[in-house]
Each structure stands twice: as structure tokens, then as C-alpha cells.
Amino acid sequence: MPRPTPPSLRALVRGGKSGAGLSPCMSSPCSASHFLLPIQIQSPRKYSSGGIPPRARLNNPIDYQSTPLLSHTPSSALVSDPSLPEDIHTQPCKRLNLFQAINQALSLSMSRDDSVILFGEDIAFGGVFRCTMKLQETFGSDRVFNTPLSEQGIVGFGIGAAAQGMRAVAEIQFADYVYPAFDQLVNEAAKFRYRDGAGGRHVGGLTVRMPCGGVGHGALYHSQSPEALFTHIPGLKVVMPRGPIQAKGLLLSAIESNDPVVFMEPKILYRAAVEQVPLGYYTLPLGKAEILREGGDVTIVSYGQPLYTCLSAIEQAEKDFGIKVELVDLRTLYPWDKEAVLKSVRKTGRCIVVHESMVNAGIGAEVAASIQGDEETFFRMEAPVRRVAGWSIHNPLLFEKFNVPDVARIYDAIKQSVKNY
Amino acid sequence: MRARIFSHARRGLTRPKHRSPPALRSVQHPGIRAGSSLSQRPDAQFLAFPGAVKSAFTSSLKFSVPNEYPAMETYRAVDQHGEVVDRSFTPDLSDDKVVRIYKNMLLISTMDMIMFDAQRQGRISFYMVSAGEEALTVGSASVLEKGDVVFCQYREQGVFVERGFGLDEFMNQLFANNKDPGRGRNMPVHYGSAALNIHTISSPLATQLPQAAGAAYALKMQRAIDPSIPPRVVVAYFGEGAASEGDFHAALNIAATRSCPAIYICRNNGYAISTPTLDQYRGDGIASRGIGYGIETIRVDGNDIWAVREATKKARELALQDGGKPVLIEAMTYRVSHHSTSDDSFAYRAKVEVEDWKRRDNPIARLRKWMEAKGIWSDAKEKESRESIRRDVLKAFSEAEKVQKPPIRYMFEDVYEEMTPELKEQMAELKDHLEKYPGEYELAEFEGGRDSLNP
Ligand SMILES: Cc1ncc(C[n+]2csc(CCOP(=O)(O)OP(=O)(O)O)c2C)c(N)n1
Ligand SMILES: [Mg+2]
């Protein structure tokens, strides 16, 4: 059958790649389709969330090529994180993006430990975000396999395997689709050790990975960041890395951990975040925050992708207001490093929490309540704790730009925090 | 005719040779099965276990082996050459109506090709085509009543068209413009129409299936309360991949136990993104599960629009019999396209596999051959129709693309019936912020700009 394509379209399409994007459920922000924007079209309309005006001073796109949050040279990779193990200095590095770093962590852990198995929807061919590429070829289909399309099945299966001593690494295709597995995670994975008591059986071998967060056009069901639903559940560890080095070390810790871990991967970073990653096996500690930038005037607590947005806002605010801002990456969202956060806030007397998911009953609420509940910290406060987060709505396709915290909103929060008090 | 008979669930996979004793028959009557009454004659061949009232005793220890049962048959009325193979089949449509249905298939196929390319150009963010499945969706929808309630998965543009969804409506949704009833909130292809009784598409798979049972129950109750309401059914579409979700099993079971007039239509197209059916299930497709849940079931050739129509028509009758009951249709087809614009299916299946399928069978070509054999279609008509459809699609496309974006306010509306004080505060906060930082945001494209956020 002829393909009835309008002439102006045809020319463009034939020149481009066919399959393009990464995720069959949505194009990821860096998928090829986005590089095919036509020159011929007079006024290409932006389909997602209000374009950036040419005169923007704050809300400019994050430059992942230059952000100091990523290690652009091998030497910075080796010193980027004080919690990196000593022997890291002898390791060669390679430029990897986030999905490649995850892939490498999975590969290393499978080579080292025969009890590691990997499964989820569509993972055999590499997964819709390419995190499991080549792993089935390398480790065989007994250890790396597709599951039927059932999240409750996937997590329940992982719990059973972990209970019998395997290290089960399950992939949920999108965090938005984890809810069928909620019962398994909340009532089973989280309570397994508690319930068995002296029997000592547990499902610590379970790690559940899932891509999360907005990418600009994911709308209601391809943007969610449901970490707060899991941080409410004692027994689960909840982790969200900010980039490739972190992802690799934290994921290896998660797999090694004897507690079940929900491991959330900001999917916008899969391709956008590229850095020099040490090639060997290394772990980064769970339950430990990291100070990414020191400062004495305001503490910003965040995690995952918004850290980059925070940094842009901080750089501008520091110039404009002559202040120094401390930026803290929680990394593990539960059980979280309260000590590190309170210590920083005692120093600065001001705190802003930034996250993408809804503000109501989010991580920000827990951090703010912990600050006010700690006398020593509370009495040092110079300003109320502020939260910059998603509004109490579902992520709407066209309005994501106004929902997810942007540089201007974080900048303004810093301004409010340091003014008037 | 034989093949058109729905498999009767109660006969089930074990096919008992004996009829149940009369005393026990009433026990099967829906709703009044008394689980604890196990009275029976002393020499009975059957024991009325509460959980298996018709099971005969046997003295041979034997497990049922799935592949010792023949695969359920696939009904077709017209083969891939457009030739009628069911001798009892007579088309129930006038020539004009056949042509109208055919044109609807052409329309979605044309729209698919144009919108797929439009996504490649960055003019819309996402698209999913339904190539190969046009007969299944258009055909099944063509025998439904206006008042029937429909739940879709996402690849059912044919259902929308057939129920009267206009090209302008497709385009308004795809461009998420100010005329999109989804108010700019949803990803492309998440269509919905209150007027056409099609619930808005939701990405999470299989969630619509138990909902369809509840909706069907509601229709049944409403008719019991007010007999002047015409009988209605609910139709729910889903993929064979989605059928692995717990919700699918929950749905069939609750629909059966509550005798819900719901028709479950599985589009078995061989793939769930990259996952082939071999990784998805090991039983006899989705149809065999219907039997297990006590549901009348048929498998049809989903590329044969006549078979799909006949099966759905009959399913609708069945669903409304005996106070209502669910029916399962498994329509066999093939996903000719990539899963979506974000997918490159040649990463997991061979190009020749797709080419072979396209050559072997195509639902549009099949109906065309049938029409040509009947003398109601020609190359000239084909050419003219394709051209005029293409013009219509492009016209709707450029009109919808020009429409302004919906007001920003929509992001805060419809979370609840009434906007909560918290949301009102947040809306005011956003408005303040946009006022303070005018240079940071492009607002002109949204209707009403910042002012839409006024209380
Ligand atoms: C609960 C849930 N899990 C995962 C997904 C991601 N996903 C979207 S479509 C799809 C495959 C569905 O296959 P199938 O039901 O066979 O429908 P088809 O695409 O073949 O029409 C998957 C895994 C989802 N949308 N919802
Ligand atoms: Mg399918």
C-alpha cells in the first residue's frame, strides 16, 4: 500500500531514522525523534509545556555537558565522592551515561555473584530504556529473562526468589506502573523480616528498579515519582541516584544489601547525564547523604534530577545576593540521613527542600517536620523551611513546565529565604 | 455454523460425559447456590463439592495435560482471498454500509501513517498506529449500539471512528489543543468521548477490565430499576499482554460471578512491545481462560471483519441473555507496526516476519477483495477514496494545529469536583510567580495567559 504522506512530511521522514526512540511507551527526551525537528516547517509548535522564552535569565535548559555535578574528566571522577572506596584511584574510567552505568553495575554484579537474576517486562532485548542490553546474551536466559506483563507477578516472584536466597533484581518498566505490585512491596517485602522474627528469613536480596520522573511529555502516566509512597513504609529502602557514578555504586550496594531496596532511576538522565565512571566494582553507602556544595547561608535538600535545577538556581542566587548555598543530595530517601541534613541546617539556619513529586505529604514534609522536631536545629532557624515541589495535581502533559520545579521557582525560594529575616 | 458456536464454559475443559442429576441442576443457578448443602443420593456418581458441583468420580489417576486438548478453533467467515468460507454466512449490511465501514478502515490507516510521520517531525509528541488491527476494531464496534459503554486500551482508533469520533476530535486530542476534552493533560492517543460513551483511555494496562464488569453491572441494575431503558452492554478491549495482569483475572471472575453483561475483546496481536506470546503465556491463548472462569468464549480471525462482526453481534445477544453474562472474544491478528513511535521493533523481530505477514494477510485488502468480487468496488473508487481521506486528514491536522493551547488553569481543575483551598493557594502562588518572573515563561500560547489563574 502506498503511504499517503504529505509532501512536506515525506521529505523529512525519509531522511530520518525509522525506529528512533528508546522507550516504546514514550519517546525519551533524547530519542532520535527529537533531533528530527524539521527545518521546513514555518512554525514548529512545541507540543510540551511552554517553550523557553528567548529572554530567560533563569529558566534555561540544564547544560549537562558542563554541570559540575557530573565528572567530565577521569580525575574528577576519582575525587567526586568522598565515600568512594580507596582503591577507586587505581581504576580506569569510561564515559558512560546513566543507562550504561546501570547496565555495567548489573553486569558486574552478575559476574561476581551467581545468585543474581534479572527480570522484568521486555528486558530480554535490552529493556525499553536499554538498561539490560546484552545481558541476556552474556549471562543466559536462565538468569536474564522477560516476564509476563504483571507487576504484581514480577515483584512477588522476586520476593519468593529472594526469600530462597537469590539476589533478585526486578525491573518495573515505569514507576507509574508499580502500583499493581504495591501489595507485594508494602505487605510482603517490607514486612518479611519483621513477620518471621527469630526465623531470620528476609527478602534482602530483592532490588526493584524503576525509571521515574518527568521528561517533558510524559503526562499522567509516564512521569510519576512515587518515592514518598515508599518512604512511608518501614522495611523498604528507597534510593534515587543523581548520575552515572552514583547510580552504579548505589545500585551495587542495593543488590548487596540485605534489605529490600526500591531503586528509582530519573529517566530523563538515562541519556542526558554522561560522566567518567570508574570501570571496576565499587559500592556507595546507602543511608548517607552527600554534600555537593558547601555554603553557610541556606541549605537546599534535594535528590535525583532536580539537583541540577537547584545548582543552576544556586549559581545565579549566589551571584545576585552574595550568599553561599549548601546543596545536599539525600541519595537514599529512606531511611534517610537526618543527621547530615540537620547538621547542615544548624549551620545555615535556612532550608529549602526541592522535589519533583507532589508537595503534599512528600519528602519535603518529612524533612521540614524533622527540622522543627529537633530543638537544637529548630531554635537556630532564621526562616521557615520552604518546599519547592510539584503542585498537588497529576502531571499534566502541556503544563509540566509549570508543575515541575524550575530554576526560577527555586531561585525565588532562595530569595525569599534569605530576604526579610 | 459449527465454528460460530461459542464454547460453553460449563462444558469446560474437562468435558464431563455425564449430565448432572436433576436435583443438582438448581444448585448451579446463579445466585442461589447453597455451598453447604451437600445432600445427595447414596449411590451418586457425583459428589456435590461446593467448589465443583458437577465433577464425576473417576478411579483413574490422571492429570489433565493442556496440550492433549485441541487448541480452540478460530472462526472465520471470509478467508484472506476475500472468499466466503462459512456457507451459513450472509452479509447483513447493504452495499453502502459495507463501503462506509471499509472507508473507516482506510481512514484510520491513513491517519496512522500521517500522524506517525508527524511525530517523527516533532509536531506531536507521540503516536500509536493500529496497522493490521483495523478489521478487529472497526468490525466489532460496527455492531454495537450507541448506548453501549466502551473501554479501550489505546490501539482502538477504529472503535472511535466507527462510533462517530470525528477527525477533528482525533486531531484536537493529538495536539492537546484548547478543544481537546482532556484539557491538554493527556498524552496523544488518550482519546475519550462522553457523547459516544467511550471512557477516556488510561495508560496503566488492564485497569479498565474490572471497571468494565462494574460498569456492566451498573447498566444491568439501572435497567432493572427502569425497564424503559434499552438493554445495554459494556465492551472492553485489551491486548494479550495486558491479559497477564491481575486485573484481567479479577475482571473475568467478578464479571462471571455477578453476571455482568460485558463483552471482553482481546486483541491478540502476538506482541506486547517486544515480548512475544511465548514469553507471555503457555496456555491456549487468552480464549482458554474464559472457559476456566465460566465464560462463553469464542476465538475469531481478527483480520476478517465479517467474522469479527458476526462474533460480536452474537456476543452482544449472549451478554444480554439470562439476566446478563460476560462473553470473551479473542481476536487473532498481528501487530504489523512498531509498538509506538518510541519503538523500533526490528530490535526484537525480523523484518521478514513483518513483511511475510503483510503479504499473507491484511484486513483492509481482505475486505477490498470481497467488495471487488461483489462488484461494489474498483481501483478507481479506491484511488478516489484514499485521496479524499488523505485530504480530510490533512485538513483536520492543520486546523487542529492552529488552535490555541488550553488555559494554564486547567492544571489545577478537575482534581476534585471543587478546587480545594490548597489548590487555590497553589494556583495563586503560581500566578504570583509568573507575574514576578515574566521573562522566564512563554505564556502567550495558552489561552488567557497568566490571567487564567485568577481565582
Ligand atoms: C501496568 C502497566 N505496565 C506496563 C505498561 C507499559 N506498557 C505499555 S503498552 C505495553 C504492552 C502491551 O501489550 P498488549 O497488551 O499486547 O497490547 P498491544 O500493544 O500489543 O496492542 C506495556 C508493557 C503499562 N502501560 N501499564
Ligand atoms: Mg499485543
Side-chain angles (χ1 to χ4, degrees):
Chain A
M1 250 184 289
R3 290 170 61 99
T5 309
S8 65
L9 301 177
R10 194 184 296 136
L12 293 159
V13 173
R14 297 300 166 249
K17 278 204 238 166
S18 69
L22 273 183
S23 150
C25 305
M26 54 173 309
S27 31
S28 85
C30 354
S31 68
S33 56
H34 293 264
F35 298 126
L36 294 176
L37 282 173
I39 322 136
Q40 288 98 319
I41 289 171
Q42 305 91 332
S43 59
R45 296 188 33 120
K46 284 263 158 42
Y47 41 71
S48 55
S49 34
I52 296 150
R55 58 214 146 105
R57 196 172 77 97
L58 300 165
N59 280 343
N60 291 304
I62 303 294
D63 183 2
Y64 290 100
Q65 315 290 323
S66 67
T67 173
L69 291 188
L70 294 169
S71 297
H72 303 287
T73 61
S75 53
S76 63
L78 305 180
V79 295
S80 70
D81 186 335
S83 49
L84 277 170
E86 273 295 303
D87 71 347
I88 208 81
H89 295 275
T90 59
Q91 292 185 18
C93 291
K94 193 177 170 200
R95 266 173 68 82
L96 299 178
N97 65 24
L98 185 70
F99 83 69
Q100 291 163 332
I102 298 277
N103 182 272
Q104 205 183 71
L106 294 172
S107 181
L108 285 170
S109 106
M110 295 199 83
S111 310
R112 167 186 277 230
D113 179 352
D114 286 342
S115 73
V116 177
I117 55 172
L118 226 66
F119 49 91
E121 293 158 17
D122 299 294
I123 71 148
F125 91 113
V128 302
F129 288 106
R130 314 271 75 195
C131 294
T132 53
M133 266 210 306
K134 297 254 167 15
L135 296 178
Q136 190 178 62
E137 282 163 51
T138 312
F139 298 100
S141 56
D142 286 343
R143 294 182 66 196
V144 181
F145 50 90
N146 280 344
T147 62
L149 209 171
S150 167
E151 292 75 14
Q152 67 189 99
I154 292 168
V155 175
F157 184 96
I159 289 172
Q164 297 312 125
M166 302 297 278
R167 298 260 159 213
V169 184
E171 176 175 302
I172 298 293
Q173 201 162 77
F174 284 83
D176 310 62
Y177 302 135
V178 71
Y179 307 115
F182 211 57
D183 195 28
Q184 290 289 347
L185 282 166
V186 173
N187 275 330
E188 298 302 322
K191 298 176 176 59
F192 215 94
R193 187 192 296 280
Y194 200 74
R195 190 170 70 196
D196 202 47
R201 284 169 293 185
H202 62 86
V203 293
L206 178 72
T207 302
V208 183
R209 299 177 38 244
M210 61 191 83
C212 66
V215 296
H217 46 84
L220 276 57
Y221 301 113
H222 294 86
S223 312
Q224 296 177 38
S225 211
E227 64 275 9
L229 296 176
F230 296 113
T231 58
H232 191 59
I233 309 301
L236 298 179
K237 290 188 174 177
V238 185
V239 176
M240 195 188 296
R242 67 171 182 275
I245 294 180
Q246 293 290 313
K248 181 175 166 184
L250 290 169
L251 180 56
L252 285 170
S253 287
I255 297 172
E256 277 186 13
S257 162
N258 282 332
D259 290 302
V261 179
V262 172
F263 195 85
M264 303 179 68
E265 300 163 7
K267 60 183 174 287
I268 196 169
L269 302 179
Y270 275 138
R271 305 197 139 208
V274 182
E275 64 184 331
Q276 293 284 349
V277 180
L279 285 178
Y281 190 102
Y282 65 89
T283 57
L284 289 169
L286 302 183
K288 285 268 169 273
E290 186 186 348
I291 312 287
L292 300 183
R293 186 186 178 92
E294 296 198 3
D297 299 306
V298 187
T299 300
I300 297 190
V301 179
S302 190
Y303 51 91
Q305 194 282 336
L307 287 164
Y308 298 89
T309 321
C310 289
L311 191 66
S312 298
I314 290 169
E315 282 167 353
Q316 198 57 51
E318 288 187 346
K319 271 186 225 152
D320 292 355
F321 314 128
I323 52 166
K324 277 283 176 202
V325 180
E326 186 141 304
L327 180 60
V328 182
D329 178 4
L330 281 181
R331 305 200 288 187
T332 298
L333 313 182
Y334 199 77
W336 62 293
D337 195 350
K338 198 188 285 189
E339 197 187 321
V341 171
L342 294 187
K343 191 169 159 223
S344 169
V345 177
R346 271 180 229 135
K347 178 176 75 176
T348 60
R350 297 178 177 88
C351 182
I352 299 167
V353 191
V354 180
H355 54 75
E356 209 175 291
S357 57
M358 300 78 100
V359 66
N360 51 303
I363 301 282
E366 183 66 21
V367 172
S370 298
I371 289 170
Q372 97 83 40
D374 181 80
E375 270 192 27
E376 202 192 328
T377 317
F378 181 65
F379 289 124
R380 286 178 193 229
M381 294 307 281
E382 312 265 351
V385 178
R386 280 172 200 281
R387 291 177 289 169
V388 184
W391 308 114
S392 302
I393 61 172
H394 313 290
N395 193 43
L397 180 80
L398 280 186
F399 313 116
E400 180 175 317
K401 183 81 191 160
F402 306 109
N403 186 34
V404 171
D406 59 13
V407 182
R409 271 171 66 196
I410 300 169
Y411 172 92
D412 192 61
I414 300 173
K415 188 172 168 183
Q416 298 308 316
S417 221
V418 295
K419 232 177 59 177
N420 301 340
Y421 297 102
Chain B
M1 199 56 207
R2 177 181 47 89
R4 284 162 74 184
I5 296 169
F6 280 73
S7 300
H8 286 275
R10 284 275 174 205
R11 277 201 325 220
L13 286 168
T14 50
R15 299 178 193 193
K17 286 175 219 87
H18 313 277
R19 287 174 60 88
S20 55
L24 290 176
R25 273 201 220 129
S26 65
V27 174
Q28 297 166 43
H29 203 274
I32 50 163
R33 195 165 110 181
S36 55
S37 70
L38 296 176
S39 67
Q40 61 187 113
R41 291 194 201 120
D43 60 344
Q45 295 294 305
F46 298 85
L47 174 59
F49 287 108
V53 290
K54 274 210 297 190
S55 177
F57 287 117
T58 175
S59 55
S60 92
L61 174 65
K62 185 176 180 300
F63 285 81
S64 295
V65 179
N67 47 24
E68 284 173 5
Y69 294 85
M72 288 173 75
E73 293 160 320
T74 301
Y75 170 67
R76 57 165 45 170
V78 173
D79 71 10
Q80 65 267 45
H81 311 296
E83 276 162 34
V84 176
V85 288
D86 175 4
R87 289 179 197 284
S88 70
F89 162 75
T90 35
D92 57 345
L93 292 176
S94 67
D95 292 350
D96 283 355
K97 287 225 170 96
V98 178
V99 167
R100 192 189 56 75
I101 283 181
Y102 179 74
K103 284 185 175 170
N104 278 344
M105 290 166 72
L106 277 189
L107 184 140
I108 52 168
S109 156
T110 306
M111 177 177 78
D112 280 357
M113 288 185 264
I114 291 174
M115 298 321 290
F116 187 90
D117 287 349
Q119 190 280 338
R120 283 289 181 265
Q121 294 190 347
R123 286 161 97 162
I124 57 171
S125 58
F126 176 82
Y127 194 73
M128 296 177 103
V129 313
S130 70
E133 300 178 37
E134 295 92 344
L136 198 174
T137 51
V138 173
S140 55
S142 70
V143 297
L144 302 180
E145 296 294 327
K146 232 185 135 108
D148 293 342
V149 173
V150 179
F151 290 84
C152 291
Q153 180 161 309
Y154 46 62
R155 212 183 290 286
E156 291 89 0
Q157 40 268 58
V159 173
F160 279 84
V161 163
E162 188 56 37
R163 284 179 80 75
F165 203 67
L167 270 172
D168 53 338
E169 294 175 282
F170 280 110
M171 295 299 161
N172 292 337
Q173 199 287 326
L174 292 169
F175 284 106
N177 68 25
N178 201 9
K179 293 180 178 170
D180 162 26
R183 301 194 156 150
R185 297 174 189 138
N186 301 316
M187 270 175 78
V189 315
H190 290 60
Y191 314 113
S193 171
L196 300 175
N197 284 319
I198 317 177
H199 283 287
T200 298
I201 287 163
S202 171
S203 310
L205 290 165
T207 47
Q208 78 276 24
L209 301 179
Q211 294 169 7
Y217 196 70
L219 300 189
K220 177 168 120 165
M221 294 284 282
Q222 285 156 3
R223 187 163 145 79
I225 295 163
D226 177 0
S228 73
I229 299 175
R232 291 172 294 164
V233 299
V234 171
V235 181
Y237 293 86
F238 59 100
E240 88 293 339
S244 293
E245 289 283 1
D247 273 353
F248 164 83
H249 299 273
L252 263 60
N253 201 26
I254 199 167
T257 55
R258 294 314 306 159
S259 307
C260 301
I263 306 176
Y264 287 97
I265 303 184
C266 177
R267 298 180 290 98
N268 190 334
N269 60 11
Y271 284 95
I273 309 185
S274 75
T275 305
T277 51
L278 190 67
D279 284 353
Q280 198 63 252
Y281 56 74
R282 289 293 158 89
D284 181 18
I286 307 304
S288 64
R289 301 179 195 171
I291 309 300
Y293 284 111
I295 292 177
E296 284 172 57
T297 301
I298 193 170
R299 175 178 283 156
V300 297
D301 179 345
N303 290 358
D304 174 5
I305 192 161
W306 294 111
V308 173
R309 273 180 58 88
E310 292 298 297
T312 314
K313 217 162 54 178
K314 179 75 184 166
R316 195 174 181 283
E317 275 169 43
L318 288 173
L320 291 168
Q321 279 170 12
D322 310 330
K325 56 185 161 185
V327 184
L328 174 63
I329 299 176
E330 182 182 25
M332 310 309 293
T333 181
Y334 183 79
R335 199 195 76 208
V336 172
S337 59
H338 302 303
H339 171 74
S340 74
T341 47
S342 312
D343 175 41
D344 176 2
S345 66
F346 301 129
Y348 52 79
R349 66 177 176 184
K351 221 166 188 157
V352 296
E353 177 189 315
V354 181
E355 292 307 320
D356 280 355
W357 259 100
K358 280 207 250 184
R359 225 187 345 268
R360 199 158 47 222
D361 195 11
N362 172 320
I364 298 180
R366 211 195 276 205
L367 181 57
R368 180 177 168 186
K369 285 177 194 157
W370 184 91
M371 286 161 50
E372 282 172 354
K374 201 160 185 277
I376 60 172
W377 201 245
S378 64
D379 285 354
K381 285 185 179 160
E382 176 80 12
K383 188 158 179 276
E384 196 232 276
S385 298
R386 282 183 180 274
E387 273 165 15
S388 86
I389 287 170
R390 198 180 138 250
R391 273 193 305 275
D392 292 347
V393 173
L394 289 175
K395 183 159 167 275
F397 180 110
S398 45
E399 272 167 16
E401 201 178 24
K402 279 187 237 124
V403 177
Q404 216 182 4
K405 284 180 181 173
I408 304 170
R409 183 188 186 86
Y410 281 173
M411 68 192 282
F412 294 106
E413 288 186 341
D414 299 332
V415 180
Y416 293 98
E417 183 176 20
E418 301 266 350
M419 210 184 281
T420 59
E422 179 189 43
L423 285 167
K424 285 181 187 162
E425 246 172 60
Q426 293 180 359
M427 190 165 77
E429 190 183 330
L430 177 59
K431 181 166 186 270
D432 270 3
H433 178 76
L434 297 178
E435 264 161 19
K436 265 205 279 190
Y437 295 88
E440 303 296 333
Y441 300 91
E442 199 80 83
L443 302 178
E445 56 194 344
F446 299 97
E447 187 177 285
R450 200 165 52 219
D451 289 343
S452 80
L453 298 173
N454 289 339

